[in-house]
Amino acid sequence: MHGPRPYRAQRRRGQDGAMPLPIEDYAMISDCQSAALVGRDGSIDWLCFPRYDSPSMFGALLGDESNGRWLVAPADPDATSTRAYLEGTFMLVTTWTTATGVVEVTDFMPHGNRRADMVRRVQCVSGTVTMHQDLRIRFLYSAAVPWMRQAERHEATPALLAVAGPDAVVVRGPRLKAKGTTHQGEFALTAGDVVDLSLTWYPSHRPVPDRLDVDGSIDASLEWWRRWTRDIEHEGPYHAAVVRSLILLRALTHEDTGGIAAAATTSLPEQFGGERNWDYRYVWLRDAALTLSVLMEHGFRLEADQWRGWLLRAIAGDPADVQIMYGLAGERDLPERIVSTLPGYLGSAPVRIGNGAVDQYQADVIGEVMVALSDAREHGLEEARHAWPLQRALMSFTEQHWQRKDSGIWEMRGPEQHFTHSRVMVWAAFDRAVRAVERFGLDGPVDTWRDLRERVRAEIEEHGFDAERGTYVQAYGTTEVDASLLVLPQVGYVEPDDPRMLGTVTAIEQDLMPDGLVLRYRTAAAADGLPPGEYPFLACSFWLVEQYAASGRREAAEALMERLLGLANDVGMLSEEYDVQGGRQAGNTPQALSHLALVRAADAIQRGADRPVR
């Protein structure tokens, strides 16, 4: 991680207003219902209430300050800041140093109170400091400027009400005054002073919520987070990064439904200035598979059981209707549309809401579900009611469609193909079905599954392996390689030190690592339906760490792991990709898959600690 370097409060300026910060300059806070991104400059530039996937009310992240933000920072333009989460929590403390004094701002979203609250506690540590506020509420992805009014007659302290359509917010704290369509104000503190600012979203047809008990909320949230983190089972040289990643994954997990959002954001670009901008505030089945395994490996059996419950609810029904992704509660209708009211991060357009990949056929997802539920059995989780009949139905569908082409793990928007990774996951589906019968005594047509498992393997070895180069390939009929091939040993298709796998690693190192990190695939050579160009995908680089460790290349694993951890920001967050030339994070943030892969990589290095060095 980057160290706690001091940060100056001044923002970069664009033609029309303050530009968003570099992606790595944001930290996330969450109540396990929704999330906000807080910049190092003290501005909350992204907030969706009441759920992660609700329309934004602060959208400056995908535009500028006119698209909504809440700035709380010293009025002194030369103030500097450092920040860190309170240990074992997702509560962020930013320490500001000015010429006249020092203040701490504690930003958090109270956990467990069944409300949509944001709290910003400002405490003066020494001297005297004047703080500045700039509040710009813009509901519905910046499409709705609310009607705002003071509400003193109903409140003991100043309060500001904002209403537009179904959304309403009450902001409590020092008085804010209107300045055009913004509200601003300043307040001074001396050593020992504490000022609490709070924002509460509520449906506009309901009464204004009561004032929050901030002291009680701090105590309850601290206790909840620290009680959860105390249960983490992990030892090893990357303990801090693993713990922070697991806390982050918990923060992205919706409290009520158990669905884990792939990221807290939409449309942060995979290529700056390009159109590879997607909405990641939904739940992908392949993330479910990784999450189940990671939770069980680190002692969270209850959470794993709850996550398995989400998975089974989401895929219930006709197997032909299984999707690659769902809403947080298992919603299936996630149409993709372009939002014209947000111009995009640094002008990277379009901004997309929903995700068109929901309609794709991706043959790997049933395999990932079968692997995840097989792992649950291996870890001793009691068989969930109706779980096996549902899996039988999935396997019946797979038996009928195992030869079908698909769009692949990377959601190619070009022609469907036989992607080798997808074919291997079909193999894995049959393999885990066979295991269920052979190891756990469940019923099923095991002879049919064994036969199909071997037929799929034979097909992969014939069409998915380039014998001349000695590598598995991205898809049948091509010589290109793909980072998803690093998953093959993870699901047991091939041993990590098998010559075929070692040859694949060599090809990936030659073709997909121009800057020392792993690209998903060469976009210029792939028919993915989009203009070429993107940055290395961080999860893929962690997969390579895992492969190195599992095949005995410990020094290579540790060197790449250290480099990857150095790309995390000052509070341990990783986005989807990394722009090596620009020295900046790219893509949606924080990316669950990046952190899941980080945990797996750390575990692999720990398991391989006693292997001989190659």
Side-chain angles (χ1 to χ4, degrees):
M1 293 187 299
H2 298 302
R5 71 186 191 281
Y7 176 87
R8 288 195 65 189
Q10 293 175 314
R11 307 197 96 191
R12 297 177 298 151
R13 302 296 299 183
Q15 181 177 357
D16 300 319
M19 300 165 63
L21 301 171
I23 292 170
E24 59 269 20
D25 280 351
Y26 289 99
M28 187 178 82
I29 57 176
S30 172
D31 60 357
C32 299
Q33 302 278 347
S34 184
L37 292 188
V38 186
R40 290 178 67 104
D41 62 347
S43 180
I44 297 175
D45 284 357
W46 184 254
L47 174 63
C48 302
F49 267 151
R51 294 199 335 181
Y52 305 96
D53 57 350
S54 297
S56 67
M57 57 179 289
F58 297 142
L61 178 70
L62 298 179
D64 58 36
E65 58 196 12
S66 68
N67 298 114
R69 63 99 172 253
W70 186 14
L71 175 72
V72 176
D76 178 1
D78 294 320
T80 61
S81 69
T82 58
R83 61 185 182 173
Y85 290 112
L86 291 174
E87 185 177 358
T89 79
F90 229 71
M91 302 167 71
L92 183 71
V93 178
T94 302
T95 302
W96 290 97
T97 301
T98 73
T100 59
V102 176
V103 296
E104 291 182 345
V105 179
T106 301
D107 288 315
F108 74 104
M109 298 165 72
H111 178 272
N113 66 359
R114 320 309 298 172
R115 298 180 10 156
D117 292 307
M118 169 77 64
V119 176
R120 315 196 75 177
R121 167 165 281 190
V122 186
Q123 182 170 4
C124 188
V125 177
S126 64
T128 301
V129 179
T130 298
M131 300 293 289
H132 174 72
Q133 281 197 79
D134 184 301
L135 176 69
R136 307 175 189 223
I137 298 172
R138 302 291 185 267
F139 292 121
L140 195 60
Y141 301 112
S142 193
V145 178
W147 172 55
M148 303 187 71
R149 61 185 176 88
Q150 303 290 341
E152 289 94 334
R153 69 178 63 183
H154 304 295
E155 299 280 341
T157 56
L160 189 65
L161 299 180
V163 178
D167 297 297
V169 162
V170 56
V171 180
R172 296 179 170 101
R175 180 179 295 276
L176 295 168
K177 295 183 179 179
K179 185 178 181 181
T181 57
T182 74
H183 282 73
Q184 299 181 0
E186 293 188 348
F187 58 96
L189 303 91
T190 58
D193 287 347
V194 176
V195 175
D196 290 329
L197 294 72
S198 68
L199 178 153
T200 303
W201 175 94
Y202 62 100
S204 60
H205 62 276
R206 294 182 180 173
V208 177
D210 293 337
R211 185 180 182 89
L212 187 71
D213 175 4
V214 175
D215 288 332
S217 295
I218 289 175
D219 292 342
S221 297
L222 279 170
E223 172 58 23
W224 186 87
W225 279 111
R226 287 174 173 167
R227 185 173 63 250
W228 191 84
T229 55
R230 280 197 298 266
D231 291 335
I232 294 175
E233 297 176 2
H234 181 267
E235 299 294 337
Y238 308 108
H239 179 74
V242 168
V243 169
R244 179 49 53 188
S245 291
L246 290 170
I247 296 174
L248 187 148
L249 291 168
R250 185 65 187 90
L252 285 172
T253 303
H254 193 267
E255 184 78 25
D256 292 337
T257 68
I260 181 171
T265 58
T266 179
S267 299
L268 290 180
E270 295 175 8
Q271 182 185 29
F272 293 105
E275 61 182 77
R276 293 174 181 262
N277 315 315
W278 316 110
D279 194 348
Y280 275 14
R281 298 171 300 160
Y282 306 114
V283 190
W284 270 254
L285 289 187
R286 62 179 56 94
D287 290 4
L290 279 172
T291 303
L292 263 174
S293 298
V294 164
L295 289 175
M296 288 182 291
E297 284 289 336
H298 295 89
F300 293 104
R301 293 173 61 87
L302 176 61
E303 285 82 357
D305 190 53
Q306 292 172 337
W307 182 231
R308 181 179 62 178
W310 180 93
L311 181 63
L312 293 172
R313 292 194 306 272
I315 64 175
D318 188 336
D321 297 331
V322 170
Q323 300 180 175
I324 63 151
M325 56 185 287
Y326 296 86
L328 293 167
E331 295 93 343
R332 293 169 176 260
D333 188 22
L334 308 174
E336 182 175 299
R337 62 187 178 90
I338 291 174
V339 174
S340 61
T341 49
L342 291 171
Y345 181 84
L346 299 181
S348 298
V351 170
R352 292 183 171 94
I353 305 302
N355 198 308
V358 71
D359 297 322
Q360 289 185 349
Y361 173 66
Q362 296 180 20
D364 62 305
V365 295
I366 290 179
E368 281 144 357
V369 169
M370 294 297 292
V371 168
L373 297 179
S374 178
D375 285 349
R377 289 189 198 96
E378 298 285 352
H379 280 83
L381 264 67
E382 183 178 351
E383 190 72 22
R385 186 182 180 189
H386 305 313
W388 182 241
L390 180 56
Q391 290 172 80
R392 285 283 307 269
L394 293 177
M395 293 312 302
S396 177
F397 176 83
T398 306
E399 290 169 33
Q400 299 172 43
H401 298 276
W402 69 274
Q403 294 178 308
R404 181 178 168 184
K405 296 179 180 180
D406 77 316
S407 297
I409 183 175
W410 306 129
E411 301 170 359
M412 302 286 200
R413 299 200 172 197
E416 291 184 343
Q417 302 181 62
H418 279 131
F419 291 97
T420 300
H421 169 267
S422 295
R423 309 308 296 151
V424 168
M425 294 313 299
V426 171
W427 173 91
F430 289 123
D431 180 70
R432 294 327 191 260
V434 170
R435 287 192 197 185
V437 176
E438 293 180 343
R439 295 190 188 184
F440 297 96
L442 298 172
D443 63 300
V446 67
D447 291 337
T448 298
W449 292 338
R450 286 195 197 99
D451 176 65
L452 287 171
R453 180 179 63 178
E454 295 314 308
R455 289 176 64 184
V456 175
R457 175 181 282 280
E459 176 207 273
I460 293 168
E461 295 304 317
E462 180 179 356
H463 301 290
F465 185 75
D466 182 346
E468 182 175 340
R469 194 179 182 192
T471 178
Y472 289 102
V473 294
Q474 179 182 46
Y476 296 176
T478 179
T479 58
E480 291 292 316
V481 292
D482 187 308
S484 65
L485 299 170
L486 294 167
V487 175
L488 271 57
Q490 296 178 16
V491 299
Y493 178 80
V494 64
E495 291 298 320
D497 57 357
D498 185 290
R500 293 167 297 176
M501 196 62 216
L502 297 180
T504 301
V505 170
T506 298
I508 288 172
E509 291 170 334
Q510 293 172 347
D511 293 1
L512 301 183
M513 299 181 68
D515 297 306
L517 300 178
V518 184
L519 297 167
R520 296 187 299 173
Y521 55 91
R522 294 196 297 194
T523 57
D528 65 2
L530 294 165
E534 66 172 17
Y535 306 111
F537 197 81
L538 292 174
C540 297
S541 295
F542 283 116
W543 290 346
L544 184 58
V545 171
E546 183 174 349
Q547 165 63 27
Y548 282 157
S551 60
R553 296 178 62 182
R554 189 171 76 232
E555 290 184 354
E558 291 174 347
L560 183 53
M561 186 71 168
E562 291 295 335
R563 183 180 180 189
L564 289 167
L565 294 181
L567 304 182
N569 71 0
D570 56 312
V571 292
M573 271 175 43
L574 289 165
S575 65
E576 180 184 20
E577 300 185 353
Y578 194 81
D579 173 10
V580 178
Q581 300 300 320
R584 55 183 176 172
Q585 293 187 12
N588 285 305
T589 195
Q591 181 80 355
L593 188 58
S594 297
H595 287 275
L596 285 163
L598 181 159
V599 175
R600 287 184 58 104
D603 290 346
I605 291 175
Q606 185 64 18
R607 285 193 302 269
D610 297 328
R611 292 177 181 268
V613 179
R614 292 181 54 181

